[in-house]
Amino acid sequence: MIQRNAASRPGRSVETRRLGPEEVEAAAAILRAGGLVAIPTETVYGLAADARQGQAVARVFEAKGRPRFNPLIVHVADAEAAFALGRAGEDARRLAAAFWPGPLTLLLPLREGSGLSDLVSAGTGHVGLRVPAHPVAGALLRAVGGPLAAPSANPSGRISATSAEHALAGLGGRIEAVLDGGPCAVGVESSIVALAGHEARLLRPGGVPQEALEAALGRPLARGGGGFAAPGQMASHYAPRGAVRLDATEPRPGERMLGFGPVDGDLTLSPSGDLREAAANLFAALHALDALGGPIAVAPIPDRGLGRAIRDRLARAAAPRPEAKGS
Ligand code: TXA
Ligand code: MG
């Protein structure tokens, strides 16, 4: 399937190839040549570039329409490859042992001579590292044999992609290929934990619940930005075109209802109130309601486990929308 999107980049449209999960080698060849490929991970699809090629990384920002150079998460095949790029202490090793491969990003002090493009850490002195659990992502990382920088594969500020179709709809015509690995099992982005000195700070709730992170660390996580620049943590993000209203028990006239548990809707995140199921369905449901247009009301989601990541994404989808959008 070829998709063109000439309107968004007049005269500079590229053909976007759709690759099957067995075409990992073709995807690796595109990445080595400095091209962009949307890739499956267990959380959401990522828009990948070779993290060592500055021009390829710069194109990621251009393709997403990102207003500025936010730092990007670097994906690697295993913890050893991660700790060659960022300096790991005991906390990092403990969290990596417990949750990698998996939906956890560790923000570590960047090692000198890492070989990463400066755009990846955007002058923060830290690098975000993740070992994804998706088998196709793992095979691709081994085939490329190096780090891949990948933000979520959605146009800046819009709803994240949890299928190859979402990634094609958002970025078709701007990237060389989409590698189809099926729908994402987790469905919300990775939890981001920043480690510096003796501090461990949760910068973004995500696919590993805070309770599980704290159990592995043996102490509570600090919350909030702290001294970390997290320019992607802007209030408005994941935005459908229509307004979003949270903690609604029934729709107002004209609203589409997104249900959960006992609160029924036009669509429901999980009829049984299962937070894992709800996370996996979240972005596909927002895409579907966005396609119908109009305002969206969302049922209450409990503030525990994966519910925290779901509530975080919904709050950003509901936030007032400034000019500059997030990642
Ligand atoms: O699950 C995920 O994390 C997905 C998949 C593709 O891996 N990726 C993802 O990337 O959500 P992105 O760019 O949409 O969100 C990453 C967030 C951004 O808010 C960015 O600002 C922050 O992580 N970040 C990355 N590296 C950072 C750094 N060195 N310092 C501060 N913040 C950083
Ligand atoms: Mg994102």
Side-chain angles (χ1 to χ4, degrees):
M1 179 195 197
I2 303 284
Q3 189 150 334
R4 287 174 184 280
N5 192 353
S8 56
R9 283 180 64 195
R12 296 187 61 194
S13 167
V14 299
E15 284 185 0
T16 302
R17 293 172 64 193
R18 184 176 185 143
L19 303 172
E22 70 292 348
E23 293 179 277
V24 160
E25 198 37 65
I30 293 170
L31 289 162
R32 278 189 225 106
L36 304 187
V37 181
I39 66 167
T41 83
E42 75 280 25
T43 58
V44 299
Y45 275 67
L47 175 53
D50 182 335
R52 297 163 300 193
Q53 296 188 43
Q55 292 202 24
V57 176
R59 272 193 64 210
V60 168
F61 294 94
E62 191 186 1
K64 277 180 69 90
R66 242 190 203 191
R68 46 188 172 146
F69 290 149
N70 290 351
L72 302 180
I73 294 175
V74 174
H75 299 69
V76 289
D78 52 38
E80 194 187 337
F83 299 155
L85 301 172
R87 280 201 305 278
E90 201 183 314
D91 288 339
R93 290 181 194 284
R94 193 169 286 169
L95 290 174
F99 302 111
W100 277 352
L104 171 66
T105 294
L106 294 178
L107 223 60
L108 301 179
L110 178 66
R111 276 187 196 279
E112 242 174 82
S114 67
L116 296 173
S117 156
D118 289 339
L119 286 177
V120 166
S121 51
T124 59
H126 283 77
V127 59
L129 294 160
R130 181 158 112 76
V131 179
H134 196 293
V136 175
L140 179 66
L141 285 163
R142 287 187 293 276
V144 171
L148 293 177
S152 51
N154 52 280
S156 185
R158 303 310 303 267
I159 306 165
S160 303
T162 50
S163 69
E165 289 73 25
H166 295 158
L168 260 178
L171 298 171
R174 305 185 194 191
I175 64 177
E176 275 68 31
V178 175
L179 180 58
D180 190 348
C184 301
V186 175
V188 290
E189 292 85 346
S190 58
S191 306
I192 302 182
V193 176
L195 297 170
H198 292 293
E199 186 183 85
R201 183 172 287 276
L202 183 63
L203 291 185
R204 177 174 73 181
V208 180
Q210 184 176 344
E211 297 88 332
L213 293 167
E214 292 179 340
L217 268 179
R219 66 182 200 276
L221 288 160
R223 291 297 313 265
F228 287 92
Q233 308 290 310
M234 295 172 193
S236 174
H237 202 144
Y238 312 101
R241 288 165 301 171
V244 178
R245 186 167 66 88
L246 303 182
D247 293 318
T249 45
E250 54 185 43
R252 292 177 183 156
E255 282 181 337
R256 311 268 178 189
M257 183 80 205
L258 181 55
F260 176 81
V263 180
D264 207 7
D266 298 277
L267 285 175
T268 177
L269 291 172
S270 168
S272 66
D274 176 339
L275 288 168
R276 276 188 193 214
E277 182 183 33
N281 286 332
L282 177 66
F283 289 125
L286 288 177
H287 277 285
L289 293 174
D290 192 30
L292 297 174
I296 300 168
V298 188
I301 312 289
D303 192 18
R304 61 176 156 77
L306 285 178
R308 292 210 178 125
I310 297 171
R311 290 187 64 86
D312 171 80
R313 305 307 185 269
L314 286 169
R316 291 171 202 271
R321 291 150 201 192
E323 279 303 295
K325 299 235 179 93
S327 55

